[in-house]
Amino acid sequence: MKAIQVKQLGGPEAMELVELPVPQPKANEAVVKLAASGVNFVDVYFREGRYKATPPFVLGQEGAGVVTAVGPDVNSVNVGDRVAWTGVQGSYAEYAAIPADRLVPIPKGVSDEQAAAAMLQGMTAHYLSHDTYPLKQGETALIHAAAGGVGLLLTQMAHNIGARVIATVSTEEKAELARGAGAHDVIFYTKSDFETETKRLTGGKGVDVVYDSVGKTTFEKGLNVLRPRGMMVLFGGSSGAVPPFDLILLSQKGSLYVTRPSLVHYISTREELLARSGAVFGMIAAGKLKLRSQHKYSLAEAQRAHRDLEGRKTTGKLLLIP
Ligand code: NDP
């Protein structure tokens, strides 16, 4: 089978198209023939070595397809089932062997491509808006990179809850998409100062929560736009890691809260994984969550996919179609 392997950590050129044997399922595993594999910023972190994996490894944390074989002791899935997963390395490939308890069924009304597009970013948007800081109707959220993969989904969920979304984006096209997802206000944070703008838009009150996946270039100013006792949810570092900072700042800026959550801790049990994926798939099937999957690449084009993602050229989801 074809797969994208990282033999040595590095830039996009570190991803090689290789030929590997189709995996055989071990105990408690199922082998899935991929219909689509999701490309996520976390793949960049693994490729570079910011997150740890030992080369050589097949990249990719998210996929969907059909079960072709099951190992001994597997009775939760059968050959022929449509399934999806996230959080297991190795989805940039034609086949992947996945622990059966990490697979979720794809319901009718959701396609394989939609499932691959929603597992990581959809469940992330869900836990951020429903659990990390459970947004309420009438509250205001600042969402950075709102036209990105997570951003467009988080904006829609926040809007559906009845919260006001102030979105940051870098281009007109992205602004249009953020508005379409329900953003009330859009700030071009590469051209104007988002701190000044957010304060102006909230009449000086500040926002209840900042959802920040950009990190290095936005974190500190983000603290300045929170209301007293507001929450900074730092969930990524697309512009780089946030340097260490002095906790006394949280007191000085209004008894603020800061958290640095990861999806893995919000889907750690089988029950939570099924409930959260079910909630997201339910929103898709009901037409309440629109997925934007304009960027599709073959496995051989994986390097280009990463260059586009890192180069801020993409909006919504990127998929590899093996
Ligand atoms: P995106 O589609 O959001 O792509 C990243 C976006 O970040 C860009 O499109 C760009 O939007 C913005 N950005 C701002 N500064 C930079 C920069 N210097 N370089 C590149 N991009 C920049 O990616 P994903 O949806 O895959 O992921 C978004 C973030 O969420 C990532 O940081 C990821 O690690 C994180 N994440 C965290 C999870 C968690 O559980 N903690 C789970 C899933 C994702 P613009 O041009 O508008 O500025």
Side-chain angles (χ1 to χ4, degrees):
M1 68 163 188
K2 290 189 176 50
I4 293 292
Q5 204 176 44
V6 173
K7 291 187 180 154
Q8 220 175 359
L9 303 175
E13 69 289 347
M15 296 188 289
E16 275 182 54
L17 183 67
V18 295
E19 197 64 44
L20 295 174
V22 172
Q24 297 303 309
K26 299 196 193 81
N28 302 313
E29 280 184 352
V31 170
V32 182
K33 183 176 194 312
L34 279 119
S37 171
V39 177
N40 295 284
F41 226 93
V42 69
D43 304 332
V44 173
Y45 304 155
F46 277 110
R47 193 202 70 213
E48 288 175 337
R50 248 202 273 178
Y51 287 4
K52 299 291 168 230
T54 310
F57 61 92
V58 175
L59 204 58
Q61 290 276 324
E62 172 180 56
V66 175
V67 174
T68 54
V70 295
D73 304 328
V74 171
N75 38 38
S76 54
V77 287
N78 296 304
V79 170
D81 287 357
R82 291 199 309 131
V83 293
W85 74 92
T86 186
V88 183
Q89 194 83 264
S91 66
Y92 286 14
E94 291 179 300
Y95 292 84
I98 305 295
D101 65 356
R102 300 318 286 168
L103 294 172
V104 301
I106 305 175
K108 282 202 185 81
V110 176
S111 71
D112 291 356
E113 286 193 12
Q114 286 177 316
M119 283 300 284
L120 198 152
Q121 295 173 343
M123 289 201 292
T124 297
H126 188 271
Y127 85 71
L128 292 172
S129 56
H130 290 74
D131 292 289
T132 306
Y133 184 92
L135 271 170
K136 293 194 276 298
Q137 189 172 16
E139 289 189 326
T140 304
L142 176 68
I143 299 179
H144 287 303
V150 177
L152 276 181
L153 303 179
L154 183 56
T155 300
Q156 290 178 71
M157 286 187 201
H159 174 72
N160 290 346
I161 289 168
R164 172 186 178 189
V165 174
I166 301 176
T168 65
V169 296
S170 67
T171 66
E172 270 301 340
E173 186 210 354
K174 291 184 177 187
E176 214 39 59
L177 289 170
R179 283 193 200 97
H184 192 273
D185 311 279
V186 177
I187 301 171
F188 293 95
Y189 60 171
T190 42
K191 293 185 199 126
S192 59
D193 180 40
F194 80 83
E195 179 182 341
T196 312
E197 279 301 291
T198 306
K199 285 180 177 162
R200 184 183 65 77
L201 289 165
T202 57
K205 278 197 202 143
V207 299
D208 298 283
V209 57
V210 176
Y211 294 110
D212 185 351
S213 65
V214 174
K216 191 174 176 183
T217 57
T218 46
F219 177 77
E220 206 168 324
K221 283 192 172 190
L223 296 175
N224 298 336
V225 305
L226 282 163
R227 64 157 165 84
R229 290 159 55 183
M231 186 182 284
M232 163 64 73
V233 182
L234 175 72
F235 68 99
S238 302
S239 69
V242 173
F245 86 111
D246 190 345
L247 288 174
I248 196 68
L249 283 172
L250 298 180
S251 161
Q252 290 166 353
K253 291 178 189 283
S255 300
L256 304 178
Y257 296 84
V258 175
T259 181
R260 176 58 177 89
S262 280
L263 174 60
V264 62
H265 303 119
Y266 287 83
I267 51 168
S268 57
T269 64
R270 179 88 187 136
E271 292 70 31
E272 201 172 17
L273 172 66
L274 288 173
R276 204 174 297 285
S277 58
V280 173
F281 288 155
M283 289 176 187
I284 296 167
K288 290 183 184 150
L289 187 68
K290 300 266 189 290
L291 301 169
R292 183 180 165 82
S293 307
Q294 309 294 93
H295 306 282
K296 293 185 192 170
Y297 307 81
S298 66
L299 278 178
E301 295 171 319
Q303 293 191 0
R304 186 160 65 81
H306 275 219
R307 287 196 179 95
D308 290 349
L309 181 64
E310 291 177 82
R312 303 170 82 158
K313 287 187 189 155
T314 62
T315 53
K317 187 72 198 175
L318 287 75
L319 290 175
L320 297 182
I321 309 296

